[in-house]
Amino acid sequence: MISVVILGAGNVATHLFKAFKTTETINVVQWYNRNSDSLNTYKNEVAITDDLSQLAEADVYIVAVSDDAVKGLTKKLPFENRLVVHTSGTVKISDIDKKNRQGVFYPLQSFSKSAKLDFANVPICIEAIKSEDYHLLKDMAIAIGSPTKKVNTDQRKVLHLAAVFVNNFTNQLYRVAHEITESEGAEFDLLKPLILETAKKVQELSPYMAQTGPAKRNDKKTLNNHAKLLTNKHHKEIYDLLTKSIQHTHGRKKL
Amino acid sequence: MISVVILGAGNVATHLFKAFKTTETINVVQWYNRNSDSLNTYKNEVAITDDLSQLAEADVYIVAVSDDAVKGLTKKLPFENRLVVHTSGTVKISDIDKKNRQGVFYPLQSFSKSAKLDFANVPICIEAIKSEDYHLLKDMAIAIGSPTKKVNTDQRKVLHLAAVFVNNFTNQLYRVAHEITESEGAEFDLLKPLILETAKKVQELSPYMAQTGPAKRNDKKTLNNHAKLLTNKHHKEIYDLLTKSIQHTHGRKKL
């Protein structure tokens, strides 16, 4: 049995708590938040505290707080030589105060408060200084059904950056498509199967191999027709830059 | 029974042929291509010709050729007053020679040669001049299990443009993410569940509601950290433009 204390009350903390509760090998012994009111919903399921000096003993302390708060909070922990991990994509492992054993347990997925989450679809990026800590974190990830990967701080940072491209930026392209279709009273809903197919395609093929369309083919007639349709200057900027990007990737000179 | 002649041998023609063959209400009576060799695989399943003067009589002629060829090919058809439709997202309905009854049967999806296609995930955008032609085209779409929508030429053009954003441009963001992760020896594969989740999220929520991340929150510390990580000038251009776009959509001044 792995005993865990969770610190923080955000989406990651809450989803991890719920996932850990479903396992037979992880025991959440305590849940801390600066303001314990936000944990009231769970007070019948787990011991709750807002007092760092009252933290229970555990195998792992999971610090799932905002990036800026990791350093300060781990400094205030009233014990030494225990395993303390954060869950952030951008915070260095060394930002965890070094009086404890440092680690990272970064779930690479988009978390919303309400939506149900299947941890089979949440790769956990693990970093630890000591080999036994790495294996304990890996066992935790396996217990909740997640794939795992050893990822160092530099790799984690670029994964977080790349995640912004495939999640936030991609979603913004969906938004622009929504604006474009609405401008002519066409239905954005008609694009939803294509959105899903585009995401499914790169589960098997590399994005390089999956690419199609007028930019890749350098189909000037279609590119010109699209340019005429793009009345919104801002949409046109995105169109031009991403067309250039595709042609850069696929060697427009050769096409 | 609806009798159909298909003209053209590309991906759309081939996928439609295969889908029609599975139905009990559509009979493909003939398949034409300028070069009939490319249809040799199917010669035991359907009558094949490369001679326009030999075209069989049918309820619908589906012209699934390249955009540029629609006008010329429909002009050369040796009959009048029959239903002739193209399958293009960008060609006007009036580009079909007016000696025949004009229509459009535009499947809004990304077609690759090899991949199997479930037409339940392919919305068909239908346009026709005559009401009975519209209903015949709708019955054809229903027979292959596709959702259908009445879409005029202007709407179809913006749908095709918007499809470039959600398909080609999104795929290029995946490609950039691939380049970014590879640059630090991190695994692009770790992003695949997030890619799928991002596409699934907008099946239910609007892209506006689905947006998250540092650009929307105007989280300057993360934005600055990402700027430092972006050593590729071209990736940085995309990062900056799409960050600006998200902040424009979500009113950065208020955040």
Side-chain angles (χ1 to χ4, degrees):
Chain A
M1 203 72 164
I2 302 170
S3 59
V4 171
V5 171
I6 297 174
L7 298 96
N11 290 339
V12 174
T14 305
H15 282 290
L16 284 176
F17 172 74
K18 288 179 184 170
F20 290 155
K21 292 289 281 186
T22 66
T23 72
E24 288 176 0
T25 50
I26 301 174
N27 180 26
V28 183
V29 294
Q30 197 182 32
W31 196 349
Y32 161 90
N33 198 49
R34 195 170 45 176
N35 170 9
S36 60
D37 287 351
S38 39
L39 299 177
N40 259 344
T41 325
Y42 303 99
K43 69 180 175 193
N44 296 325
E45 296 177 60
V46 61
I48 281 172
T49 185
D50 57 7
D51 183 352
L52 289 175
S53 74
Q54 298 298 312
L55 285 181
E57 190 156 352
D59 297 320
V60 198
Y61 296 79
I62 299 183
V63 180
V65 298
S66 67
D67 293 358
D68 289 345
V70 171
K71 200 167 186 168
L73 179 57
T74 61
K75 212 176 180 111
K76 280 193 263 173
L77 294 176
F79 47 72
E80 290 178 2
N81 202 30
R82 298 185 192 169
L83 177 57
V84 176
V85 305
H86 73 64
T87 59
S88 162
T90 58
V91 175
K92 285 179 289 188
I93 188 171
S94 57
D95 275 5
I96 295 170
D97 194 275
K98 67 176 188 298
K99 69 186 168 190
N100 282 296
R101 285 159 20 229
Q102 301 149 317
V104 179
F105 191 85
Y106 168 50
L108 182 39
Q109 189 47 279
S110 170
F111 289 83
S112 27
K113 197 114 205 171
S114 55
K116 267 191 193 172
L117 200 66
D118 179 355
F119 270 86
N121 301 322
V122 184
I124 308 281
C125 302
I126 299 176
E127 187 173 6
I129 308 294
K130 285 181 187 285
S131 167
E132 65 259 38
D133 291 341
Y134 171 77
H135 286 289
L136 185 142
L137 295 172
K138 185 166 177 170
D139 288 344
M140 277 175 51
I142 291 169
I144 57 176
S146 291
T148 73
K149 187 74 194 169
K150 196 180 217 169
V151 168
N152 67 33
T153 291
D154 287 342
Q155 291 170 334
R156 188 159 36 80
K157 283 182 179 178
V158 295
L159 281 166
H160 184 268
L161 171 60
V164 166
F165 280 79
V166 304
N167 179 13
N168 307 149
F169 292 170
T170 288
N171 187 74
Q172 183 63 9
L173 294 183
Y174 301 159
R175 165 66 191 182
V176 171
H178 197 169
E179 291 174 1
I180 288 173
T181 49
E182 272 189 342
S183 71
E184 283 290 343
E187 273 188 31
F188 174 71
D189 282 6
L190 291 168
L191 296 166
K192 287 181 177 177
L194 180 58
I195 285 173
L196 214 46
E197 185 61 29
T198 305
K200 279 183 185 165
K201 207 169 169 185
V202 294
Q203 306 295 312
E204 308 291 334
L205 283 180
S206 71
Y208 183 87
M209 292 304 291
Q211 192 59 278
T212 60
K216 184 188 167 191
R217 289 195 309 272
N218 199 21
D219 169 354
K220 289 202 172 123
K221 195 173 169 188
T222 302
L223 294 171
N224 286 336
N225 284 338
H226 284 167
K228 279 180 222 156
L229 282 174
L230 285 159
T231 48
N232 180 317
K233 195 186 119 207
H234 176 66
H235 296 167
K236 191 166 180 344
E237 264 188 287
I238 295 174
Y239 187 95
D240 290 344
L241 183 59
L242 286 170
T243 293
K244 197 175 76 175
S245 178
I246 291 171
Q247 298 195 329
H248 179 74
T249 296
H250 293 274
R252 73 187 298 183
K253 288 288 187 294
K254 286 188 291 176
L255 291 167
Chain B
M1 203 72 164
I2 302 169
S3 58
V4 172
V5 170
I6 298 175
L7 298 96
N11 291 339
V12 173
T14 305
H15 282 290
L16 283 175
F17 172 73
K18 289 180 184 169
F20 291 156
K21 291 289 281 185
T22 67
T23 72
E24 289 176 0
T25 52
I26 301 173
N27 181 26
V28 182
V29 294
Q30 197 182 32
W31 195 349
Y32 162 89
N33 197 48
R34 195 170 42 176
N35 170 9
S36 60
D37 289 350
S38 39
L39 299 177
N40 259 344
T41 326
Y42 303 99
K43 68 180 174 195
N44 296 325
E45 296 177 61
V46 62
I48 283 174
T49 185
D50 57 7
D51 182 353
L52 289 175
S53 75
Q54 298 298 314
L55 284 181
E57 189 156 353
D59 296 321
V60 199
Y61 296 79
I62 300 183
V63 179
V65 299
S66 66
D67 293 359
D68 288 345
V70 170
K71 201 168 187 168
L73 179 57
T74 61
K75 211 176 182 112
K76 282 192 263 174
L77 293 176
F79 47 73
E80 289 179 2
N81 202 32
R82 298 186 192 169
L83 177 56
V84 176
V85 305
H86 73 63
T87 59
S88 162
T90 58
V91 175
K92 284 180 287 187
I93 188 170
S94 57
D95 275 6
I96 294 169
D97 194 275
K98 67 178 188 298
K99 70 187 168 190
N100 282 297
R101 286 159 19 230
Q102 302 149 316
V104 179
F105 192 83
Y106 168 50
L108 182 38
Q109 187 50 276
S110 171
F111 288 83
S112 27
K113 197 113 204 172
S114 55
K116 267 191 193 172
L117 199 67
D118 179 355
F119 270 86
N121 301 322
V122 184
I124 308 281
C125 302
I126 299 176
E127 188 173 7
I129 309 294
K130 286 182 185 287
S131 168
E132 65 260 37
D133 292 340
Y134 171 77
H135 287 289
L136 185 142
L137 295 173
K138 187 168 176 169
D139 287 344
M140 276 174 51
I142 291 169
I144 55 175
S146 292
T148 73
K149 187 76 195 167
K150 196 180 216 168
V151 168
N152 67 33
T153 290
D154 286 342
Q155 291 170 333
R156 188 159 36 80
K157 283 183 179 177
V158 296
L159 281 166
H160 184 268
L161 171 61
V164 166
F165 280 79
V166 303
N167 179 14
N168 308 150
F169 291 171
T170 289
N171 187 74
Q172 183 63 9
L173 293 183
Y174 302 160
R175 165 66 191 183
V176 170
H178 197 169
E179 292 174 359
I180 289 173
T181 49
E182 272 189 343
S183 71
E184 283 291 343
E187 272 188 31
F188 175 71
D189 282 5
L190 291 167
L191 296 167
K192 288 180 175 177
L194 179 59
I195 286 173
L196 214 46
E197 185 61 29
T198 304
K200 279 184 184 164
K201 208 169 170 186
V202 295
Q203 306 294 312
E204 307 290 334
L205 284 179
S206 72
Y208 183 87
M209 293 304 291
Q211 192 57 279
T212 60
K216 184 188 167 191
R217 290 196 308 273
N218 199 19
D219 169 354
K220 291 203 171 119
K221 194 173 169 189
T222 302
L223 295 172
N224 286 336
N225 284 337
H226 284 169
K228 279 178 223 156
L229 282 175
L230 285 159
T231 47
N232 180 315
K233 196 186 120 208
H234 177 66
H235 296 167
K236 189 165 180 345
E237 264 188 286
I238 296 174
Y239 187 94
D240 290 346
L241 184 59
L242 286 169
T243 293
K244 197 174 80 174
S245 178
I246 291 171
Q247 297 195 328
H248 179 75
T249 297
H250 293 274
R252 72 187 298 183
K253 286 292 190 290
K254 287 188 291 176
L255 290 167

